[in-house]
């Protein structure tokens, strides 16, 4: 996590050169399947729009699927892009603050079921399930829960093929209810954590709580100079490309077809 943007960029450029000179066997290696989960009061299409540059940069490594949360929620003024007029703001659950200041999340089971449906659609369309889950804001908390279930209670995991997670403007899944003990346990699979130094919605110190749950030797942290957005500046894109290239190469045994 201490690697500078310049060093990351140099490393990433080397990766790009390697990808340009791939062998026939490597070209046959399939792309990573990435499931993208939007933030509160957004939609999958809005997240896709805000990640356009990121998806283009990673198109040689990954394929991105964007899905909508199952619940209509209150509009939020803190979106990276404006919702088109007439579009319902969506979420993965409806948060409610209790009298004791704890949180209750209404509708989590619906979202886990939706992830299972997305997994089934991916298998049907491409013959394999989701490799990486990417969550922005509230979506990162759902991504955290899905990752924790995959590692600690596979029988209940909606994403049984999952092998890595990206948390952007993220925070841990930690309501008083519904309580999932798995969400408080450490994660060992590769994770990428992206925070904005100017993020006033999910501050970097909040994102750090999720970072601390992840294995130190298998996590990457990147802090950009922006706010509550999926940042697509050159340094951020280089970090994404480096991380996804490592997951792609590291999975060559499982991903080759």
């Amino acid at each position: 996590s201490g690697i500078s943007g310049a060093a990351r960029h140099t490393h990433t450029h080397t990766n790009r050169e390697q990808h340009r000179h791939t062998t026939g066997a490597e070209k046959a290696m399939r792309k990573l399947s990435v499931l993208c989960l939007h933030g509160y009061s957004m939609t999958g299409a809005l997240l896709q729009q805000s990640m356009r540059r990121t998806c283009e940069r990673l198109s040689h490594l990954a394929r991105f699927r964007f899905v909508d949360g199952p619940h209509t929620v209150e509009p939020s003024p803190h979106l990276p892009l404006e919702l088109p007029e007439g579009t319902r703001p969506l979420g993965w659950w409806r948060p409610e603050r209790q009298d004791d200041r704890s949180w209750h999340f209404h509708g989590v089971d619906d979202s886990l079921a939706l992830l299972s449906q997305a997994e089934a659609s991916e298998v049907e369309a491409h013959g394999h399930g989701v490799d990486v889950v990417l969550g922005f804001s509230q979506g990162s908390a759902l991504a955290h829960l899905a990752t924790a279930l995959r590692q600690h209670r596979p029988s209940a995991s909606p994403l049984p093929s999952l092998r890595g997670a990206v948390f952007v403007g993220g925070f841990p899944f930690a309501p008083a209810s519904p309580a999932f003990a798995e969400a408080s346990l450490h994660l060992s699979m590769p994770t990428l954590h992206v925070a904005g130094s100017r993020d006033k919605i999910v501050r970097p110190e909040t994102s750090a709580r999720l970072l601390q749950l992840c294995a130190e030797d298998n996590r990457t942290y990147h802090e950009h100079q922006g706010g509550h957005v999926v940042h697509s500046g050159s340094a951020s894109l280089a970090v994404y490309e480096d991380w996804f290239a490592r997951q792609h190469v590291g999975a060559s045994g499982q991903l080759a077809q």
Side-chain angles (χ1 to χ4, degrees):
S1 59
I3 300 176
S4 71
R8 283 269 188 208
H9 191 75
T10 303
H11 185 191
T12 303
H13 181 72
T14 303
N15 281 342
R16 283 209 302 279
E17 290 299 322
Q18 289 167 352
H19 282 295
R20 287 196 191 107
H21 300 95
T22 51
T23 65
E26 288 172 315
K27 282 179 181 172
M29 194 164 64
R30 70 168 173 83
K31 295 179 181 181
L32 292 166
S33 166
V34 184
L35 181 63
C36 301
L37 309 178
H38 62 76
Y40 183 80
S41 193
M42 291 178 67
T43 63
L46 195 67
L47 180 61
Q48 184 174 13
Q49 185 182 344
S50 66
M51 285 182 58
R52 183 181 55 80
R53 287 188 67 198
T54 305
C55 293
E56 288 173 357
R57 177 69 169 260
L58 302 177
S59 62
H60 61 296
L61 298 170
R63 182 182 60 255
F64 296 85
R65 178 184 288 265
F66 295 82
V67 290
D68 286 331
H71 304 291
T72 302
V73 298
E74 294 296 315
S76 168
H78 307 295
L79 298 182
L81 295 168
E82 281 191 32
L83 272 179
E85 194 169 344
T87 303
R88 289 184 302 131
L90 302 174
W92 300 105
W93 51 77
R94 297 186 184 93
E96 181 187 3
R97 202 73 180 260
Q98 307 293 311
D99 291 340
D100 62 0
R101 306 293 292 163
S102 66
W103 287 99
H104 176 77
F105 293 168
H106 297 274
V108 174
D109 284 349
D110 297 327
S111 290
L112 291 175
L114 193 146
L115 296 191
S116 293
Q117 292 167 15
E119 170 80 4
S121 297
E122 192 68 15
V123 171
E124 184 177 354
H126 301 286
H128 58 82
V130 173
D131 299 302
V132 175
V133 63
L134 181 153
F136 170 65
S137 197
Q138 190 192 54
S140 71
L142 180 59
H144 168 223
L145 176 59
T147 306
L149 289 172
R150 168 72 181 89
Q151 180 172 332
H152 298 293
R153 188 153 47 108
S155 62
S157 170
L159 302 175
S161 307
L162 194 67
R163 27 180 315 281
V166 180
F167 307 115
V168 183
F171 57 92
F173 182 90
S177 65
F180 285 84
E182 296 81 7
S184 63
L185 303 176
H186 272 74
L187 302 176
S188 58
M189 70 174 66
T191 55
L192 171 61
H193 306 253
V194 183
S197 62
R198 295 186 174 90
D199 192 336
K200 300 292 191 284
I201 310 303
V202 180
R203 296 178 184 275
E205 53 266 32
T206 302
S207 293
R209 297 209 302 268
L210 182 50
L211 181 74
Q212 298 307 318
L213 288 170
C214 300
E216 193 169 352
D217 61 351
N218 226 3
R219 70 192 189 201
T220 301
Y221 180 76
H222 170 63
E223 187 168 316
H224 57 78
Q225 301 304 306
H228 195 56
V229 296
V230 183
H231 201 254
S232 58
S234 59
S236 295
L237 290 175
V239 170
Y240 280 116
E241 187 170 33
D242 178 51
W243 189 86
F244 275 92
R246 282 185 280 131
Q247 308 323 308
H248 196 259
V249 172
S252 57
Q254 296 128 297
L255 293 182
Q257 289 185 331

